[in-house]
Amino acid sequence: MLAQLIQALYNIVDSYFVGKFFVDALTALSVIFPIQFTIIALGVGTCVGFNTYMAFLFAHNRKKEADETAGSSAFFAIFMWAIFALLSIFFLKYYVSLSTTSPMAIKFIVLDIRRFLCSF
């Protein structure tokens, strides 16, 4: 919950500063926030689930199974990244065009989400 709160506060501060300079950039932030929030929520939630299960296995002296779970979690993280990257490549412009008609905002959004996905 703390990570979600920090992300939301970051978006508010980001919107304040960007909104002072360029309206299309503020539009881009408003449109892309739900996507970024969803990606972060799924990533954090999945990691917490894997870590909790690994802690359970370690507590019951099942180290081999915990190590296998760690390998599975790494594969799953890469898999989720690939899914979000492919979805953004193929469907992002369609999603954005439903939310705004500003060509400059669409350009900002496509650049922002690609930068966000490449940061992992």
Side-chain angles (χ1 to χ4, degrees), residues 64-81:
K64 184 178 182 209
E65 291 176 45
D67 290 341
E68 291 171 357
T69 302
S72 298
S73 68
F75 171 77
F76 193 73
I78 293 169
F79 178 74
M80 281 180 49
W81 174 85

Side-chain angles (χ1 to χ4, degrees), residues 3-15 25-41 92 95-96 99 109 112-113 116:
Q4 299 293 339
L5 176 66
I6 291 170
Q7 177 64 24
L9 290 174
Y10 171 78
N11 188 50
I12 291 168
V13 172
D14 199 22
S15 298
L26 182 59
T27 302
L29 281 174
S30 299
V31 170
I32 206 65
F33 179 71
I35 293 174
Q36 287 180 333
F37 199 75
T38 302
I39 291 171
I40 291 170
L92 185 63
Y95 167 77
V96 171
S99 302
I109 291 169
D112 185 46
I113 197 68
F116 180 74

Side-chain angles (χ1 to χ4, degrees), residues 55-67:
F56 171 80
L57 293 173
F58 273 123
H60 288 84
N61 293 325
R62 295 162 51 186
K63 185 179 180 329
K64 184 178 182 209
E65 291 176 45
D67 290 341

